[in-house]
Amino acid sequence: MSSITELAAAPAPAPAHTVSELLAVVSCRYLQGKRRVFAGIGLPTLAVALAQKSTSPEIEQIYESGVCGAHPPKLPETIADASLATGAETILTMPVLFGYVLQGGWIDVGFLGAAQIDRFGSLNTSVIGPWDSPTVRLPGSGGAAEVMANSQEVFVVMRRHNKTSFVAELDFCTSPSPVAARRADPKVPTRGAGVTTVISELGVFTADADGELCLASIHEGVTVDQVRQQTGWPIKVLGGVTVTPPPTQEELRLLRDDIDPGRVYLR
């Protein structure tokens, strides 16, 4: 029989899955039934790759660099990764991609990441802190503002869920939601619904009829109070809030062995 000292010294069992794996799996599930996805690099790419190998083989993945119908032999590390061209269905110039495909309303889901998000789905990918002397300077918009404005809906995946990432007021508004755009100018035309789904390390938010993000699902081991404490605004909780089913062994096998064996995005 093990002594108390031996038990205390024993290493804790490894988690069944990492945060990255959980976010990729949950994001993949929400992509089921979607057709054209404008995906950012990182966890969105991982989620789309998993969807293509499981629930949604018909998904057409589109990158900001102009690659449409991407079928790369390995996970791309940037939007300019040469592997994206291998097996792609077509490669467009950026003016054609943005002017005809994105602004033409052909994108079903824009799938983005962000450093900060507010209660109506506006995103910050520019700076943390004051613009003139930021604590952190981020990559900026890229195509995110156009993706927000022109996709039928937008999914956002957030690796960290705390009061510095889920904020009452953004440090800088890089990509305004349709709600923010209409508040700034009621005459601004808005095509899509903006952010409809946010997948974070604590749970899933979905937008209500007013565009406000409401807690719809919590992950295993997480409580609603924890989400409240880590969110920078008073959250609304849907009456039917559920517990997210954990990743299956098959989903984890696909991620670890087939999609990202080199741990490009899995951490």
Side-chain angles (χ1 to χ4, degrees):
M1 184 173 181
S2 300
S3 68
I4 293 176
T5 302
E6 289 172 334
L7 289 173
H17 53 76
T18 66
V19 170
S20 296
E21 290 168 343
L22 175 64
L23 294 176
V25 167
V26 176
S27 298
C28 162
R29 293 170 181 170
Y30 276 87
L31 287 171
Q32 189 167 0
K34 307 302 181 182
R35 182 67 176 86
R36 298 183 185 89
V37 180
F38 198 116
I41 285 291
L43 285 171
T45 293
L46 200 62
V48 174
L50 180 58
Q52 289 174 326
K53 286 184 175 290
S54 56
T55 61
S56 308
E58 73 286 353
I59 279 182
E60 181 180 354
Q61 189 167 8
I62 298 169
Y63 285 92
E64 185 182 341
S65 52
V67 177
C68 299
H71 304 283
K74 67 179 184 68
L75 277 179
E77 297 185 39
T78 71
I79 61 168
D81 196 312
S83 67
L84 287 175
T86 303
E89 294 172 24
T90 189
I91 300 176
L92 305 175
T93 64
M94 291 184 69
V96 170
L97 175 67
F98 280 85
Y100 292 96
V101 178
L102 186 55
Q103 295 177 18
W106 292 99
I107 300 300
D108 298 319
V109 178
F111 202 168
L112 303 171
Q116 290 182 328
I117 187 168
D118 70 14
R119 71 196 300 166
F120 290 103
S122 291
L123 307 178
N124 173 20
T125 54
S126 295
V127 296
I128 301 298
W131 175 262
D132 293 334
S133 56
T135 305
V136 179
R137 190 170 292 281
L138 301 163
S141 172
E146 288 82 0
V147 171
M148 177 73 80
N150 293 289
S151 301
Q152 297 302 315
E153 60 179 321
V154 174
F155 291 0
V156 177
V157 61
M158 301 285 286
R159 191 182 294 275
R160 295 179 180 83
H161 190 141
N162 54 45
K163 288 186 176 181
T164 62
S165 54
F166 283 69
V167 297
E169 184 176 354
L170 301 174
D171 290 353
F172 183 87
C173 185
T174 311
S175 306
S177 68
V179 173
R182 287 193 294 268
R183 284 178 175 173
D185 184 350
K187 296 180 180 179
V188 169
T190 54
R191 168 177 282 117
V195 176
T196 61
T197 307
V198 179
I199 302 99
S200 85
E201 62 175 333
L202 298 182
V204 179
F205 285 73
T206 59
D208 64 13
D210 297 320
E212 182 170 350
L213 296 172
C214 307
L215 184 64
S217 174
I218 51 176
H219 302 325
E220 279 193 325
V222 176
T223 67
V224 172
D225 282 344
Q226 281 180 283
V227 181
R228 284 197 174 102
Q229 291 166 10
Q230 295 300 318
T231 305
W233 67 82
I235 62 170
K236 292 182 181 178
V237 179
L238 297 183
V241 65
T242 61
V243 177
T244 310
T248 66
Q249 287 303 309
E250 177 60 13
E251 288 168 328
L252 292 175
R253 185 196 67 78
L254 286 170
L255 282 173
R256 294 169 180 175
D257 300 341
D258 292 2
I259 297 171
D260 195 7
R263 301 301 189 264
V264 176
Y265 300 122
L266 291 179
R267 301 177 186 173

